[in-house]
Amino acid sequence: MSSSNAFVTLATNDSYALGALVLAESIRKVGTSAKLVVLISNHLSDLIKQTLETSFDELVIVEELNSNDVEHLTLLSRPELGITFTKINCWLLEQYEKCVFLDSDCVVRRPIDDLFQREEFSAAPDAGWPDCFNSGVFVFKPSKETFRQLMNFASQQNSSFDGGDQGLLNDFFSNWRTGDISRHLPFTYNVTANAFYSYLPAVTRFRNDIHVVHFAGATKPWQLTYNPQNEQLSGNLTGQSDIQRDFLLFWWRIMHQHVWPILT
Ligand code: UDP
Ligand code: MN
């Protein structure tokens, strides 16, 4: 009886959960008819977990790895794939017909329900290497069988060339690069913040078309400090362009106006 759509994200600690909360509020603000699902581990504080419960339709606690499962054990000896393992749990959500995964360091600016018309596996090109997709936003069809195949694939040596989920998924869905162009999402569905300085004129030209901003990279919005009185950001902002600052402010306004009140 799977007939519905869901946006899915992942938060294994309180910091990434703050991102998930802003993401959820940003999706609600632009409007959606899909469910919101967050995959969590049991390392979250009670306060954050309760807030996630009010913001998301469904919290799914990601199971600890099963000690008598050979495939999972193989993964366990490769700790750098921990997050990879956690993310691919999204394929287990068979109660949904089709889903869109979004990293919790994403924020939505325009409606994105049209993504559910896309087929598995759809994703946007990575700004650093456009022959690869960025795995921060992707359309998938939950399937225990696909999950099993991904786990098998992940347990093979050198299955992830970057040690994370992006390398793994690019190798697994390796026909994305040359296959059906409709599986290539427009870049506006996953505008990685670190792409701004490589093509600033394009960001300026297309800024009103941007559906999703993805704060990929080491500096996350929640690591900065925001002063709501004068809307000033402080923290490690070196090298940030004005547009990057605008997007960080966009994130922080949602944090301040929509997440903060339900957190306290
Ligand atoms: N993530 C998490 N806990 C972690 C690291 C990552 O829950 O300790 C999740 C979170 O949803 C995050 C995603 O995995 O957005 C991918 O990691 P990240 O966004 O840091 O990678 P980047 O986009 O910077 O390459
Ligand atoms: Mn990310």
Side-chain angles (χ1 to χ4, degrees), residues 27-79:
I27 295 172
R28 300 238 186 255
K29 254 164 72 85
V30 299
T32 183
S33 58
K35 298 282 191 216
L36 303 190
V37 178
V38 59
L39 307 177
I40 59 168
S41 70
N42 49 22
H43 302 296
L44 302 190
S45 69
D46 286 343
L47 171 70
I48 293 283
K49 232 164 72 181
Q50 284 159 19
T51 313
L52 287 169
E53 265 162 10
T54 67
S55 226
F56 283 82
D57 297 295
E58 194 177 350
L59 267 66
V60 178
I61 298 176
V62 173
E63 293 289 332
E64 293 294 325
L65 301 188
N66 187 333
S67 56
N68 53 31
D69 188 321
V70 178
E71 290 168 8
H72 291 189
L73 273 179
T74 313
L75 271 182
L76 260 185
S77 67
R78 299 184 61 197

Side-chain angles (χ1 to χ4, degrees), residues 178-197:
T178 52
D180 181 357
I181 194 71
S182 71
R183 314 263 159 116
H184 284 222
L185 301 181
F187 192 64
T188 54
Y189 287 83
N190 184 357
V191 177
T192 38
N194 55 12
F196 291 174
Y197 25 60

Side-chain angles (χ1 to χ4, degrees), residues 103 105 214 216 220:
D103 270 7
D105 59 345
H214 178 190
K220 303 298 188 197

Side-chain angles (χ1 to χ4, degrees), residues 148-204:
R148 198 190 57 76
Q149 289 174 14
L150 270 161
M151 290 302 287
N152 270 333
F153 193 77
S155 68
Q156 287 156 22
Q157 214 57 36
N158 300 322
S159 61
S160 174
F161 61 81
D162 66 358
D165 62 282
Q166 182 156 322
L168 170 76
L169 291 172
N170 268 280
D171 276 342
F172 187 80
F173 295 105
S174 58
N175 58 349
W176 176 87
R177 185 167 59 88
T178 52
D180 181 357
I181 194 71
S182 71
R183 314 263 159 116
H184 284 222
L185 301 181
F187 192 64
T188 54
Y189 287 83
N190 184 357
V191 177
T192 38
N194 55 12
F196 291 174
Y197 25 60
S198 63
Y199 203 0
L200 212 46
V203 182
T204 309

Side-chain angles (χ1 to χ4, degrees), residues 9-13 16 83 87 101-105 165 214-218 220:
T9 190
L10 163 70
T12 65
N13 58 46
Y16 279 95
I83 293 304
K87 203 187 254 196
F101 183 92
L102 295 143
D103 270 7
S104 72
D105 59 345
D165 62 282
H214 178 190
F215 298 97
K220 303 298 188 197

